[in-house]
Amino acid sequence: MSDYKSILVHYDAGKTAPVRLETAIEIAGTFGAHIACLYALSAATEASYGYEATNIMREAQLRMRLEMQAGARRGYDECLRRTGFERAEWREGTADALDAVAQQARYADLVVIGQQNAEWPSGVHRDFERSLPLAVGRPVLVVPYAFERRPVGHRVLIAWNASREA
């Protein structure tokens, strides 16, 4: 197994984002790696309600996304404070989450993302976790939304179906 020097963590507005970061911190601690934590959401879809209503909806969506971003940053800061991890940086993506993570993954040895849960909206499309591994060309660790904290990498499951994508 090669050493990981740079780990990219996709951080969204979901409840499980701090668990994803803690998992990456555990891996980074093993390898002495640096973590780039990228906050990126999927592009908002706009419906056409007429000029005035569309502007009101756009402003409300922007306010909501800024509040989500501030909450995510607080979670990131709290996680770093709690763990004492210092080799991390916060990044914010302006493109769609899939495009932003795929672009930043070019510079990482490992990408850590979270499994989506329909009950806990996170600001990314449902198919994000299925589309990303094909888009990045890097190893991707998907942290389940029902992840129980235990040491990472002691029990490994490899799934293979001999398809082109695998």
Side-chain angles (χ1 to χ4, degrees), residues 86-166:
E86 296 178 350
R87 294 180 315 275
E89 68 178 287
W90 176 261
R91 298 178 182 173
E92 296 173 4
T94 56
D96 182 73
L98 184 63
D99 297 332
V101 174
Q103 180 187 28
Q104 294 290 318
R106 295 176 188 158
Y107 312 103
D109 298 314
L110 175 67
V111 179
V112 179
I113 65 171
Q115 179 188 25
Q116 299 302 306
N117 183 347
E119 296 176 18
W120 302 332
S122 64
V124 295
H125 291 296
R126 279 189 320 218
D127 60 345
F128 177 78
E129 72 200 48
R130 284 177 267 145
S131 301
L132 189 73
L134 298 175
V136 300
R138 297 280 188 269
V140 176
L141 174 63
V142 181
V143 179
Y145 64 80
F147 181 64
E148 297 177 18
R149 291 294 308 146
R150 51 175 84 143
V152 176
H154 293 273
R155 287 189 170 172
V156 178
L157 169 68
I158 299 174
W160 184 268
N161 68 0
S163 68
R164 180 179 66 104
E165 293 82 5

Side-chain angles (χ1 to χ4, degrees), residues 3-155:
D3 288 349
Y4 296 121
K5 295 297 178 203
S6 177
I7 299 173
L8 176 67
V9 179
H10 173 246
Y11 207 94
D12 56 28
K15 291 181 179 180
T16 60
V19 174
R20 188 175 325 146
L21 179 57
E22 288 173 7
T23 302
I25 288 171
E26 182 180 338
I27 296 168
T30 301
F31 294 101
H34 176 266
I35 292 178
C37 193
L38 176 64
Y39 178 80
L41 302 181
S42 294
T45 56
E46 271 190 27
S48 180
Y49 300 107
Y51 181 74
E52 286 297 320
T54 300
N55 284 340
I56 292 169
M57 292 296 290
R58 189 178 295 129
E59 288 174 12
Q61 282 181 343
L62 178 61
R63 269 194 312 277
M64 182 179 72
R65 289 173 81 84
L66 289 173
E67 288 172 10
M68 291 166 63
Q69 181 178 356
R73 180 61 194 252
R74 282 191 301 274
Y76 165 84
D77 290 338
E78 170 60 25
C79 184
L80 292 183
R81 185 193 59 73
R82 187 175 60 253
T83 62
F85 191 78
E86 296 178 350
R87 294 180 315 275
E89 68 178 287
W90 176 261
R91 298 178 182 173
E92 296 173 4
T94 56
D96 182 73
L98 184 63
D99 297 332
V101 174
Q103 180 187 28
Q104 294 290 318
R106 295 176 188 158
Y107 312 103
D109 298 314
L110 175 67
V111 179
V112 179
I113 65 171
Q115 179 188 25
Q116 299 302 306
N117 183 347
E119 296 176 18
W120 302 332
S122 64
V124 295
H125 291 296
R126 279 189 320 218
D127 60 345
F128 177 78
E129 72 200 48
R130 284 177 267 145
S131 301
L132 189 73
L134 298 175
V136 300
R138 297 280 188 269
V140 176
L141 174 63
V142 181
V143 179
Y145 64 80
F147 181 64
E148 297 177 18
R149 291 294 308 146
R150 51 175 84 143
V152 176
H154 293 273
R155 287 189 170 172

